[in-house]
C-alpha cells in the first residue's frame, strides 16, 4: 500500500498574509510530494518493512533494512512532519489565539505561561539554536507532560518516542520566498495561523494513548 500526498485542508492562499500562496503551492505540491514519492520508492525495495502506518514505521526506524533506512528516515519523517504541519494550521477564524483546556494546562505546567512557552519556542527556532534545516516541536510524553523538541533535517518526534502536538518547519523552503533570511519574523508570524483546536485534539489523543 503506497503512501499518498493528502490534500491541504484549506486553500493554498488561506494562510495569507502570514504564509504566502506561492510558498504553499511549492511546499505542498513539490516538496511534500517528492518526499512521498521517494518514501514509496524506498519501500518498494523492501515492502515487508512497512508497518502499515507512518507513525509505526518511524517509531521503529531501527528495524528498517539498512539498505533503505536512510531514505525512509528522511522521506518518511518529512512525510509525517508535513502532514502534521498542514493539519495544525488554519486560516483566520481557525488560526491564532491561545490553547485551551487540557493543552493550556499542560503548557502552563511545563512553561509557567503561554507567553513563556512562545518565547522559548521562538528561541529554539532561531538559526543559532537550530542550525541548518530542521523542525521545532511541542511534543507530549506518555502521561501527558509537554516539552519542546528540535529535530534535525527530516527527523520525526516519533523516532524519539514523543507525540508531536504542533511543529514548525524551519527549512528555508518553508519561508524563504516571503521572508528571505528573516526566520524569526516567519516564526513570530506563524502564531497567527496555529490551529489550537486541532492541537488540542492531538494533545487529548496523545494523553489517552
Ligand atoms: Mn517543508
Amino acid at each position: 500500500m503506497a503512501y499518498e500526498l493528502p490534500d491541504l485542508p484549506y486553500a493554498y492562499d488561506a494562510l495569507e498574509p502570514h504564509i504566502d500562496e506561492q510558498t504553499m503551492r511549492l511546499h505542498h505540491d513539490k516538496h511534500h510530494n517528492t518526499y512521498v514519492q521517494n518514501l514509496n520508492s524506498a519501500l518498494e525495495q523492501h515492502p515487508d518493512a512497512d508497518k502499515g502506518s507512518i507513525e509505526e514505521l518511524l517509531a521503529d526506524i531501527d528495524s528498517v533494512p539498512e539498505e533503505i533506512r536512510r531514505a525512509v528516515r528522511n522521506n518518511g519523517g518529512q512525510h509525517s512532519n508535513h502532514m502534521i504541519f498542514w493539519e495544525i494550521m488554519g486560516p483566520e477564524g481557525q488560526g491564532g489565539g491561545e490553547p485551551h483546556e487540557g493543552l493550556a494546562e499542560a503548557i502552563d505546567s511545563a512553561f509557567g505561561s503561554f507567553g513563556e512557552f512562545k518565547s522559548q519556542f521562538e528561541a529554539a527556532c532561531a538559526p543559532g539554536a537550530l542550525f541548518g534545516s530542521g523542525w521545532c516541536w511541542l511534543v507530549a510524553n506518555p502521561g501527558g507532560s509537554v516539552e519542546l523538541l528540535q529535530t534535525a533535517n527530516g527527523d520525526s518526534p516519533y523516532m524519539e518516542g514523543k507525540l508531536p502536538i504542533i511543529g514548525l518547519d524551519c527549512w528555508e523552503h518553508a519561508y524563504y520566498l516571503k521572508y528571505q533570511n528573516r526566520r524569526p519574523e516567519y516564526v513570530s508570524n506563524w502564531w497567527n495561523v496555529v490551529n489550537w483546536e486541532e492541537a488540542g485534539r492531538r494533545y487529548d489523543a496523545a494523553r489517552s494513548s
Side-chain angles (χ1 to χ4, degrees):
M1 188 196 74
Y3 288 98
E4 294 182 356
L5 178 70
D7 290 335
L8 287 181
Y10 35 73
Y12 290 99
D13 64 356
L15 306 182
E16 293 266 10
H18 312 293
I19 301 182
D20 59 292
E21 177 178 356
Q22 189 186 10
T23 294
M24 290 298 288
R25 286 190 181 279
L26 289 167
H27 201 175
H28 176 269
D29 296 5
K30 305 297 183 189
H31 290 276
H32 188 174
N33 190 51
T34 299
Y35 297 131
V36 174
Q37 302 308 320
N38 289 346
L39 172 62
N40 288 332
S41 297
L43 288 172
E44 277 171 14
Q45 299 173 53
H46 287 280
D48 50 337
D50 190 359
K51 307 280 193 297
S53 83
I54 190 69
E55 294 85 0
E56 289 172 275
L57 182 63
L58 298 174
D60 201 14
I61 189 70
D62 290 340
S63 76
V64 172
E66 192 173 358
E67 185 188 357
I68 63 166
R69 191 180 305 150
R70 181 186 298 269
V72 170
R73 183 183 190 106
N74 290 340
N75 294 286
Q78 284 291 66
H79 175 42
S80 171
N81 291 348
H82 285 84
M83 283 197 293
I84 297 164
F85 187 53
W86 310 135
E87 286 170 10
I88 57 89
M89 297 191 290
E92 195 168 341
Q94 292 172 18
E98 298 192 6
H100 9 250
E101 297 177 358
L103 178 55
E105 290 164 18
I107 287 173
D108 285 348
S109 171
F111 301 96
S113 69
F114 180 59
E116 180 59 24
F117 156 69
K118 284 171 68 177
S119 296
Q120 290 189 26
F121 190 98
E122 290 180 11
C125 294
L130 181 67
F131 190 76
S133 296
W135 293 72
C136 287
W137 303 91
L138 178 71
V139 297
N141 295 298
S145 66
V146 295
E147 61 185 355
L148 294 180
L149 180 73
Q150 297 165 309
T151 56
N153 301 312
D155 281 1
S156 155
Y158 293 117
M159 294 172 186
E160 300 185 31
K162 309 289 186 181
L163 301 167
I165 307 302
I166 62 169
L168 177 58
D169 191 341
C170 292
W171 286 54
E172 286 185 347
H173 69 225
Y175 62 87
Y176 214 83
L177 287 177
K178 181 178 175 71
Y179 295 98
Q180 291 86 49
N181 62 320
R182 305 186 305 279
R183 189 195 288 180
E185 188 181 329
Y186 159 68
V187 176
S188 61
N189 283 347
W190 181 66
W191 299 117
N192 294 305
V193 297
V194 174
N195 181 339
W196 288 109
E197 290 286 342
E198 181 59 26
R201 278 192 287 276
R202 294 185 63 84
Y203 177 72
D204 292 342
R207 191 169 51 174
S208 61
S209 69

